[in-house]
Amino acid sequence: MATLIAPWRGLPRTVWVLVVARAVNRIGAFSLSFLAIVLTVEFGASLSRTGLVVALFGLATIPSRLLGGVLADRLGRRRTIVLGLAGCAGAQLWIAASATLWSAMAAAIVLGLAFEIYEPPSQATVADATAPADRPAAYGLLGSAMAVAGVLAGLLAAAVSHWDLRWLFVADAITCLACAVLVAFALPVDVRRDRAQAGGVAVWRDRRLLLLLASGTVFATIYMQLVVGVPLTLIEQKLSASGTGIILAVSAVVMIVAQRLLRVQLDDFRAMNIGYLLLATGLMICAFATTLPIFLLAAAFWSVGETLLLTRYLTQTAGLAPDGGRARYLAVFGLCWGVATTVAPLIVTYLLATAGPKGLWLTNAAAAVALAAAQPWLRRRLAPA
């Protein structure tokens, strides 16, 4: 136990409160996996209409994240987190109470508009509460808690999916409200910010941030291809679909164990170079895997790499930002996940159909190696002006 606690020793209480709150919220977030099923089964939507609504939900999360960044820098971190969680809870209860398809569709889009509001202030709160040297460990703790909570969410989803599916959204709304209450009472009071300073940060003019966003989008797309492509690869290799759950569980455990690496004295670029090489190794193993143990070995490599990369991207973004614009910088960087979520399924299905599992994962491995090699160049480009 001491081995696991050591990487996070000394982190401030604010970080722990936020991690617990977000984990509680993540455990209840299994309802989103059933959104398409609810629209088709409970409300009789056609497949094409359901696909359109789910796509609009995803599209709505992009302005949601930007709004979260603006509100966090102007209204304060705590208020914005509470507002976003309350908005999610309200939209989920609206879905559960809807009597018509059109009402449920409108509620799903509103849920997308509220869904990412709390993300930028959460990430900015971690940066505000920690010294730069402690930020990788703090972001790693948050990521590990979310990974474990995600596995628990999947188990809960399997356990309660035999209920009326609308109750899943009620359960998720309850966890959102519980998270909001914990944040409202346990996080520090928001610091009043100068409106002129908060509004005067030219986020989109910072070329360093845009370069980091471009690099992060490639990484996020590889990450999301693993999420989408590994289950399909297991099917291609005639393996049980239940293997996906085992891989997710092993990945979560590896991410926790790998936290000790975040305290190793490496600068961001060296850590990211190592992270991309580990990710590439996992992807290459995945390309030739035909049995579940080999996939688990691949997952161990890519999970350590992802741990290094996820944390360092956030620390770099927070480090670029001025104090009055940290949440907006993190919000803009977070757009890479919206892009990745949109394009990754298209890339996976195309490459699987044309090049098979080997072509899919070797292509991604090549991209990871290229980004590893690009770190010295990025170091020069992202140096303070």
Side-chain angles (χ1 to χ4, degrees):
M1 180 63 69
T3 300
L4 296 181
I5 293 175
W8 305 314
R9 182 176 295 151
L11 292 180
R13 175 179 175 273
T14 296
V15 173
W16 286 98
V17 169
L18 187 61
V19 166
V20 171
R22 291 297 309 278
V24 169
N25 178 226
R26 181 70 180 91
I27 289 172
F30 50 76
S31 65
L32 291 176
S33 302
F34 294 88
L35 178 59
I37 298 174
V38 167
L39 292 173
T40 53
V41 174
E42 300 290 334
F43 295 100
S46 65
L47 289 177
S48 59
R49 182 168 291 176
T50 296
L52 175 62
V53 174
V54 173
L56 289 174
F57 165 84
L59 187 62
T61 63
I62 295 177
S64 172
R65 183 178 283 268
L66 293 175
L67 177 61
V70 172
L71 293 177
D73 283 337
R74 294 186 176 179
L75 298 181
R77 314 313 195 205
R78 188 176 69 169
R79 292 189 188 96
T80 305
I81 294 172
V82 171
L83 177 65
L85 291 167
C88 287
Q92 288 160 342
L93 292 174
W94 181 2
I95 292 173
S98 291
T100 65
L101 172 61
W102 289 106
S103 176
M105 290 169 59
I109 295 172
V110 171
L111 178 60
L113 291 171
F115 192 71
E116 294 283 348
I117 287 177
Y118 58 74
E119 196 68 49
S122 297
Q123 295 172 349
T125 297
V126 172
D128 293 343
T130 54
D134 292 329
R135 285 173 189 164
Y139 284 125
L141 173 60
L142 181 61
S144 296
M146 297 292 281
V148 173
V151 175
L152 294 176
L155 297 175
L156 283 173
V160 303
S161 58
H162 61 279
W163 295 358
D164 184 327
L165 294 178
R166 298 189 193 210
W167 283 105
L168 300 180
F169 289 90
V170 175
D172 197 355
I174 291 171
T175 63
C176 281
L177 293 175
C179 179
V181 170
L182 179 58
V183 166
F185 285 97
L187 282 190
V189 175
D190 288 320
V191 177
R192 296 185 65 87
R193 298 178 183 274
D194 181 80
R195 285 185 175 271
Q197 181 188 25
V201 177
V203 177
W204 291 102
R205 295 180 183 177
D206 192 330
R207 294 182 179 180
R208 296 172 303 160
L209 175 61
L210 298 182
L211 181 58
L212 200 61
L213 173 60
S215 170
T217 298
V218 178
F219 164 65
T221 302
I222 295 174
Y223 185 101
M224 291 308 301
Q225 285 182 82
L226 282 166
V227 172
V228 176
V230 167
L232 296 176
T233 300
L234 292 179
I235 294 173
E236 287 283 326
Q237 300 293 357
K238 305 296 188 295
L239 297 175
S240 172
S242 63
T244 300
I246 299 174
I247 291 172
L248 289 174
V250 168
S251 179
V253 171
V254 171
M255 289 182 72
I256 295 173
V257 175
Q259 295 303 304
R260 291 193 66 85
L261 296 176
L262 301 178
R263 288 293 193 181
V264 176
Q265 296 300 313
L266 292 173
D267 66 56
D268 288 338
F269 299 97
R270 181 58 178 158
M272 293 178 75
N273 175 271
I274 295 171
Y276 272 119
L277 292 176
L278 288 169
L279 176 59
T281 300
L283 292 167
M284 286 187 283
I285 294 173
C286 188
F288 296 97
T290 56
T291 65
L292 183 58
I294 302 301
F295 277 104
L296 295 177
L297 176 63
F301 276 98
W302 79 55
S303 297
V304 177
E306 288 172 350
T307 299
L308 291 170
L309 293 165
L310 285 166
T311 55
R312 297 295 177 155
Y313 268 119
L314 291 173
T315 57
Q316 281 191 322
T317 305
L320 288 178
D323 289 340
R326 188 167 287 146
R328 270 172 291 170
Y329 267 64
L330 288 162
V332 169
F333 175 76
L335 295 180
C336 65
W337 294 100
V339 174
T341 302
T342 302
V343 303
L346 302 177
I347 296 173
V348 166
T349 51
Y350 174 78
L351 287 177
L352 277 178
T354 58
K358 288 183 181 179
L360 169 62
W361 301 120
L362 289 177
T363 299
N364 279 277
V369 170
L371 281 170
Q375 292 308 306
W377 179 81
L378 288 170
R379 183 197 297 273
R380 294 190 298 271
R381 292 289 181 173
L382 295 175

